[in-house]
Amino acid sequence: MHELAGLFLVFLYEVGAAVILPTPAELPLVTYKWLPVGWMTLFAVAGKILGSYLVFFLGDRLKNTERFQTWVDRYRPLQAIMRWSERFVRRYGAFAVFLLLCIPGFPDTVSLYLFAIVGQRPVLFALAAGAATAVRFGLVILGVWSIGQAAA
């Protein structure tokens, strides 16, 4: 039962990491001694997909507010970031989300909101973020294993 509770916490953490927490997605891997890594990865990916889907709709609502439009119009650097992001997302799409979010240790909250504000396909967006989480977990596990092998 404690494993299921731990896995549920991993799921909630990943939803939170997508929506508001400025922390890396692979942080739950520190519990690898207490939770099965395969299940942990599955719950993390599910949490990231749900969180990214929520972020997409929050970002979509945000970009349609008068306050956000005024803010973008007032600050030139923000205008430049929005134009660059929109071109980047339009050119590379969900693959861009996937590649950017594959970087281990990189907090993905800001990236998710930026992509959500300029993106259009929420399901593909969320699946790309979930797949990137699985890759990040795999890279971190491989890195820790390699360090352990080198030390032995």
Side-chain angles (χ1 to χ4, degrees):
M1 184 65 177
H2 73 284
E3 282 183 359
L4 188 57
L7 292 170
F8 183 67
L9 288 175
V10 168
F11 175 82
L12 289 178
Y13 170 78
E14 291 298 331
V15 171
V19 176
I20 197 163
L21 298 174
T23 54
E26 57 277 4
L27 195 60
L29 283 173
V30 300
T31 64
Y32 75 95
K33 289 185 178 181
W34 301 285
L35 296 174
V37 175
W39 283 105
M40 186 186 335
T41 303
L42 184 67
F43 275 70
V45 167
K48 186 62 73 177
I49 289 171
L50 177 63
S52 299
Y53 196 74
L54 291 172
V55 164
F56 185 88
F57 287 104
L58 289 171
D60 193 49
R61 284 195 153 205
L62 174 68
K63 75 179 174 187
N64 293 323
T65 62
E66 186 177 324
R67 177 178 274 172
F68 181 75
Q69 292 302 325
T70 303
W71 199 49
V72 170
D73 293 340
R74 186 177 300 159
Y75 298 105
R76 288 183 192 253
L78 188 56
Q79 290 174 2
I81 290 170
M82 292 301 293
R83 278 193 308 271
W84 178 85
S85 301
E86 191 164 354
R87 280 195 314 266
F88 187 75
V89 170
R90 298 235 186 278
R91 183 171 183 182
Y92 299 108
F95 188 66
V97 174
F98 173 76
L99 284 181
L100 187 61
L101 297 180
C102 278
I103 303 169
F106 185 72
D108 51 9
T109 308
V110 173
S111 302
L112 286 173
Y113 273 99
L114 194 56
F115 282 122
I117 287 172
V118 298
Q120 294 123 353
R121 298 185 296 195
V123 173
L124 190 58
F125 170 80
L127 291 174
T133 299
V135 169
R136 284 170 79 158
F137 268 56
L139 290 172
V140 170
I141 290 167
L142 184 62
V144 169
W145 178 79
S146 297
I147 290 170
Q149 292 298 314

